[in-house]
Amino acid sequence: MIIRGVETWTERLPLTRPYVIATREVSTVDLHFVRLENSLGVSGLGCAAPTAVTSENAEDCLGAMDVAARDILKGRDPRLLRTLARQLQSECSQYPSAVAALDMALYDLLGRSMNVSVATMLGPSMKPLPTSITIGILPLEETLKEARGYLARGFNCLKVKLGLDYDEDLERLRALRLACPESVRIRVDANQGYTIEQTRDLFREAHALDLELIEQPLARGKEEDMLKLSGDAQRLMAADESLHGPMDALQLTVNKSFGIWNIKLMKCAGITGALDIADLAVLAGIDLMWGCMDESIISIAAALHTAYACSQTRYLDLDGSFDLSKDVARGGFTLSNGSLHLLEEPGLGVTLAD
């Protein structure tokens, strides 16, 4: 069972609507895709979503993915998955999303070849969890309008982007909490836009606002400042930009400045890197949140399979494919009453759209 064929390509995909976060405005995304085919005619798919978060140039990322697929994977046996994944990590360390795409394509290929799902390959799968759906930084009335639209579609967990103006953020959150039923969960993400004083103030408001978690309030590199918060505040905080790969996770286990880790396959070079982080989370007693960029169904499914195989998983923020006005793939999972359900299909359960 040798990898005989490799194919890589790029798609520029518009979003359903542009959105604003504390660091930029986004209206389109360039996604890179890979298809691996073995000697039996079975294929595996992967998707890379290079962004400013991963510090990758989109063109260079595609080039690295193309070279690695040809030079490292072609002619190799995908059953040597862990060895191949480590080689990809070592030789393409500057391009984590490229490695993520190749890594998940290997898992998809191996699962399809064995006629089992990736989640089954990885271990016992947990029950479906709700995913949050993201509201960007918007004026108050637009925030409430978008929230009403998401609730009408069956979502029951909202993630609100913050970080440009603390007073306006607080006004939006108070109005949103009043407008939503008590059963609706609200999470916030400051995208590194706050000071330690603002973070402390927001935690004081968290109980009245019934906030589920506060994601990355301070900039990467200021993890020591998080120790100025109370233990209760730290447990409510989720590391995103502060957590890329396993080495970051290892450092964060030392002081436990965050009680939650947000794993994104694009940051940590795929399923293999995510599992390394998850193992550390088990040892450190850290809860896991699984996030994403604006991504194809392919990589969202890869994150979901991995999430459901990890015992520390508590939160999903896997809404990236819902932001695309079109996708190159279909399948992977279904959305029901705001929760994500895996398909009973081999591999990642995805196929290329017609």
Side-chain angles (χ1 to χ4, degrees):
M1 187 168 60
I2 303 301
I3 298 172
R4 296 298 189 196
V6 298
E7 179 185 8
T8 62
W9 72 98
T10 299
E11 300 276 354
R12 172 162 288 182
L13 301 176
L15 303 182
T16 53
R17 63 169 69 87
Y19 67 86
V20 177
I21 63 174
T23 54
R24 63 193 184 279
E25 179 175 343
V26 183
S27 60
T28 64
V29 291
D30 290 327
L31 301 181
H32 304 321
F33 297 90
V34 61
R35 185 177 67 88
L36 306 176
E37 184 174 341
N38 70 12
S39 51
L40 302 176
V42 179
S43 296
L45 297 171
C47 170
T51 69
V53 174
T54 60
S55 302
E56 295 167 282
N57 173 275
E59 184 177 349
D60 291 345
C61 174
L62 177 63
M65 190 169 77
D66 186 53
V67 170
R70 184 183 65 243
D71 293 353
I72 298 176
L73 300 185
K74 192 172 183 179
R76 305 290 293 277
D77 188 334
R79 288 173 293 188
L80 302 175
L81 191 153
R82 195 168 182 84
T83 298
L84 295 174
R86 295 304 185 203
Q87 186 176 353
L88 289 169
Q89 291 173 350
S90 174
E91 298 187 23
C92 305
S93 59
Q94 295 180 340
Y95 304 101
S97 72
V99 176
L102 297 170
D103 180 87
M104 71 181 71
L106 284 171
Y107 280 89
D108 188 31
L109 177 59
L110 190 56
R112 289 177 186 275
S113 300
M114 298 168 57
N115 199 34
V116 298
S117 71
V118 170
T120 299
M121 288 170 52
L122 298 179
S125 184
M126 63 173 54
K127 294 180 180 180
L129 293 173
T131 182
S132 51
I133 188 80
T134 302
I135 299 175
I137 298 177
L138 298 170
L140 175 57
E141 289 305 317
E142 291 183 41
T143 295
L144 297 178
K145 180 181 178 181
E146 194 158 306
R148 287 192 291 268
Y150 287 141
L151 296 182
R153 289 168 55 186
F155 291 99
N156 50 45
C157 183
L158 305 174
K159 188 170 93 166
V160 186
K161 295 287 188 177
L162 314 174
L164 291 182
D165 185 301
Y166 178 79
D167 292 333
E168 290 182 5
D169 290 343
L170 197 56
E171 180 185 12
R172 292 169 64 220
L173 290 176
R174 286 170 173 165
L176 185 63
R177 183 71 274 174
L178 287 173
C180 290
E182 291 184 4
S183 59
V184 172
R185 307 179 191 183
I186 297 178
R187 308 167 182 173
V188 298
D189 182 3
N191 279 115
Q192 310 179 85
Y194 280 174
T195 64
I196 188 63
E197 291 79 13
Q198 290 170 329
T199 301
R200 187 179 289 112
D201 288 344
L202 183 59
F203 173 71
R204 295 192 185 105
E205 299 282 347
H207 180 72
L209 294 170
D210 194 20
L211 298 183
E212 189 173 35
L213 58 84
I214 299 171
E215 188 176 344
Q216 197 68 39
L218 305 185
R220 178 179 171 88
K222 295 188 176 182
E223 289 77 22
E224 291 293 325
D225 287 350
M226 296 289 293
L227 299 178
K228 299 175 183 177
L229 301 173
S230 68
D232 287 342
Q234 290 174 30
R235 283 187 285 275
L236 196 67
M237 303 293 159
D240 181 5
E241 288 86 351
S242 289
L243 174 68
H244 282 234
M247 292 304 295
D248 285 337
L250 188 61
Q251 182 60 41
L252 291 176
T253 62
V254 175
N255 53 35
K256 294 190 179 180
S257 48
F258 296 89
I260 305 162
W261 292 348
N262 186 348
I263 298 178
K264 294 178 179 175
L265 298 193
M266 297 303 143
K267 294 187 302 180
C268 67
I271 293 173
T272 302
L275 293 173
D276 289 339
I277 295 174
D279 286 343
L280 290 169
V282 171
L283 295 174
I286 302 294
D287 290 340
L288 293 180
M289 175 181 181
W290 295 78
C292 59
M293 317 300 183
D294 292 312
E295 302 175 25
S296 168
I297 285 170
I298 296 170
S299 49
I300 298 296
L304 187 63
H305 277 262
T306 316
Y308 282 168
C310 294
S311 62
Q312 293 298 112
T313 297
R314 300 290 181 272
Y315 312 100
L316 297 181
D317 181 35
L318 297 176
D319 60 341
S321 63
F322 303 140
D323 292 335
L324 303 182
S325 61
K326 66 174 183 178
D327 203 331
V328 304
R330 60 173 179 244
F333 54 86
T334 59
L335 175 70
S336 178
N337 296 320
S339 293
L340 296 179
H341 300 251
L342 292 174
L343 301 180
E344 294 183 4
E345 299 287 344
L348 297 175
V350 295
T351 57
L352 292 177
D354 296 330

